[in-house]
Amino acid sequence: MNAPHTPADLRQRAMVPVLVFIGTVVAVISSLGAPLVPTIAEVDHVSLSDAQWSLTITLLVGSIATPVMGRMGDGPHRRRVVLGALATVLAGSVLAALPLGFGFLVTGRGMQGVGLGLVPLAIATARDALPGGRSRSAVAMLSLTTVAGVGLGYPLTGLITQTIGVHAAFWFGAIISGLALLAAALVVPQAGERERRPLDAPGAALLAVGLASLLLALSEGEVWGWTSARVLGLVVFALLLLAGWGFHELRTAHPLVDLRTLRNRSVLTANVAGLIAGVAMYMMMSLVTRFAQTPASTGYGFGTSVLVTGLVLLPFSAASVASNKLVPLLVRRTSTAAVLPIGCGISLVSMVLFLCARGSLWELFVVMGVAGLGVGCTFAVMPGLIVNAVPAHETGSAISFNQVVRTIGYTTGSVISAVVLEAHTAPGRILPTDSGYQAAAWLGCAIWVVAGIVTIVLPGRAEARESGATAGTTVDEELLMEESIADAEGAEDSVTAVPGGPVR
């Protein structure tokens, strides 16, 4: 007769489902603003550009909170940070749901943005609390929640908004964030004995203002004018601050983000590929959702509702989740690093399909399914590359930085698609010509080609450097060999990846 499961056993079994649920909740809530912008403008009697702040503020706050939470989560207070962030998301959801006016809604959406820093902490928790095989699978799955959750959030938002109302969508966010908070309180463990490290407040301030300025310029460029003094001034100001932040991080004893990890080709590849792939991914999502909603009277488009437009994104979510089963097979037959260019190649195919086959609504479903498979393969392996290359006490910070890089890519991709379509909109017209989508698709193809080249060249340079000592090994093994050399030279806290998973 089997012995009854202890509470500790039950918490261990529930760990992965709870962490994945938290990541999915965060992704769904962060995407609530996008399909609701026109409705929010109508209900709160504000312009579309003002209503866009219901999405922009979430990204701004998230980009600032993520690296700070990542560093705090690498210390002994990870559980408190997770619970505090979820409580903030819950409070923000309730504030956005109450009919108190547009200002309170934007404030609530800003509070929800704190949740964007939870996925890196969930990945760090999975690395520490789970055995090797389960840890590796959970890390890949958690990376996909940020992708899959967007596709789930759009149709759910559309259904709730059309049947009940715009505030009901935010009440839905409050309910699921409350469930996530309860589940986290029951399951998420303490981080264990970890060194208490001071927070790099100057670095956090420099990064916060720099990222906020950059994302603000990208978000408002279409409204203010891309050559306006405000946009150009913000971009220059942001770049100067970010350069100063990088210089500060390399010189301080306890950096917010240890930029020295970028010397590791695995970490560098994951971050550069994450930035470029994020641009191309959001270009595709922006193009498809806008194309589907365009009235058929223009000669293209299908005039779909918010609900149907959201359903178009469901294959994207389903395929990205399914890629979590495909990636291990690809890794066994090739290598972890080889999956990145494969994913970029599949994503390139999806962009080519959109370029050539978008005359029927069902074709958009196919396009998004292929896109989800490609993006899923690409994003599933990025955290693993980072986790296997950085010390355990740097996991949260390193993954958080990757998340911030992705966010910048997402925002940039959305902006690029809008700029290209605006350039193909005739004076006095509201909607672009079909040639605008053609041009944007060609640009998207080029971006995926660049992403594929990056994922081949960066690890390839590392392989060439070690070819004399590591003939026949994978890129991951070569990087691990470099870490072993570093350990021998006196590194105090390191992690080495073996086929069974991370061993500390």
Side-chain angles (χ1 to χ4, degrees):
M1 182 175 179
N2 295 329
H5 294 298
T6 65
D9 291 333
L10 294 176
R11 284 196 296 270
Q12 184 80 357
R13 287 174 175 268
M15 181 74 67
V16 174
V18 167
L19 293 178
V20 170
F21 178 62
I22 291 173
T24 303
V25 165
V26 168
V28 168
I29 290 178
S30 66
S31 69
L32 284 177
L36 297 181
V37 168
T39 307
I40 290 173
E42 181 180 352
V43 171
D44 289 322
H45 307 291
V46 296
S47 66
L48 282 173
S49 61
D50 287 341
Q52 186 70 26
W53 274 98
S54 62
L55 179 63
T56 303
I57 192 66
T58 307
L59 295 175
L60 285 175
V61 173
S63 66
I64 296 168
T66 296
V68 175
M69 290 171 57
R71 175 54 70 201
M72 294 174 65
D74 279 335
H77 303 302
R78 181 185 299 156
R79 174 180 164 85
R80 294 182 183 178
V81 175
V82 170
L83 297 181
L86 284 170
T88 303
V89 172
L90 173 58
S93 300
V94 172
L95 189 60
L98 294 172
L100 300 176
F102 183 66
F104 286 95
L105 186 147
V106 171
T107 302
R109 289 289 292 159
M111 295 171 67
Q112 288 177 332
V114 173
L116 293 177
L118 283 168
V119 172
L121 297 185
I123 289 175
T125 300
R127 177 185 186 176
D128 289 347
L130 298 173
R134 292 188 67 203
S135 172
R136 187 168 55 250
S137 175
V139 166
M141 189 64 196
L142 285 166
S143 179
L144 294 177
T145 59
T146 58
V147 177
V150 174
L152 292 173
Y154 274 49
L156 283 173
T157 298
L159 177 62
I160 294 172
T161 302
Q162 288 188 191
T163 56
I164 307 178
V166 64
H167 291 289
F170 293 111
W171 280 120
F172 168 73
I175 292 171
I176 60 176
S177 58
L179 293 174
L181 176 59
L182 176 62
L186 294 174
V187 171
V188 173
Q190 299 287 349
E193 294 297 327
R194 286 184 175 273
E195 178 186 358
R196 187 189 302 270
R197 305 174 67 187
L199 180 65
D200 177 21
L206 284 171
L207 182 62
V209 179
L211 285 177
S213 301
L214 180 61
L215 292 177
L216 179 61
L218 292 174
S219 301
E220 297 297 321
E222 188 175 359
V223 177
W224 293 347
W226 292 106
T227 58
S228 67
R230 278 191 291 181
V231 170
L232 295 178
L234 273 175
V235 170
V236 172
F237 179 64
L239 294 178
L240 289 174
L241 283 180
L242 292 175
W245 170 76
F247 181 76
H248 169 79
E249 295 298 285
L250 292 172
R251 293 175 62 87
T252 187
H254 300 285
L256 183 70
V257 177
D258 188 358
L259 296 180
R260 296 175 184 84
T261 60
L262 294 177
R263 291 182 295 191
N264 187 303
R265 292 289 178 181
S266 183
V267 178
L268 181 62
T269 299
N271 284 315
V272 175
L275 175 64
I276 301 173
V279 172
M281 170 188 152
Y282 255 65
M283 274 193 69
M284 171 65 87
M285 296 185 71
S286 299
L287 291 172
V288 168
T289 53
R290 186 164 172 176
F291 186 90
Q293 291 178 301
T294 299
S297 59
T298 59
Y300 67 92
F302 307 102
T304 59
S305 63
V306 173
L307 173 59
V308 175
T309 303
L311 292 176
V312 172
L313 299 183
L314 272 182
F316 181 84
S317 292
S320 64
V321 172
S323 69
N324 198 39
K325 301 296 183 182
L326 175 63
V327 166
L329 299 176
L330 293 175
V331 170
R332 283 196 292 269
R333 291 184 175 273
T334 56
S335 69
T336 302
V339 176
L340 283 173
I342 291 173
C344 292
I346 297 173
S347 298
L348 174 60
V349 170
S350 71
M351 194 65 80
V352 171
L353 287 176
F354 180 73
L355 180 66
C356 303
R358 57 179 189 274
S360 302
L361 188 60
W362 67 267
E363 291 176 321
L364 294 187
F365 281 84
V366 174
V367 166
M368 294 311 295
V370 177
L373 188 63
V375 169
C377 289
T378 303
F379 284 169
V381 297
M382 286 181 189
L385 291 173
I386 296 173
V387 165
N388 289 337
V390 302
H393 66 272
E394 291 289 341
T395 302
S397 176
I399 296 293
S400 295
F401 184 67
N402 182 258
Q403 187 73 22
V404 170
V405 167
R406 287 197 207 180
T407 300
I408 295 173
Y410 298 158
T411 307
T412 304
S414 179
V415 167
I416 289 175
S417 66
V419 169
V420 173
L421 294 181
E422 181 67 24
H424 287 78
T425 302
R429 299 277 186 173
I430 298 177
L431 299 173
T433 62
D434 189 48
S435 62
Y437 290 93
Q438 196 87 359
W442 276 114
L443 180 58
C445 290
I447 293 174
W448 277 120
V449 169
V450 172
I453 293 173
V454 165
T455 59
I456 294 171
V457 171
L458 285 183
R461 290 180 62 184
E463 183 176 2
R465 190 173 64 246
E466 297 291 338
S467 59
T470 59
T473 62
T474 66
V475 172
D476 286 337
E477 290 166 341
E478 295 162 11
L479 294 170
L480 296 177
M481 195 169 294
E482 292 179 2
E483 291 182 10
S484 298
I485 295 172
D487 291 343
E489 293 174 347
E492 294 181 356
D493 197 354
S494 62
V495 57
T496 302
V498 296
V503 177
R504 282 169 290 282

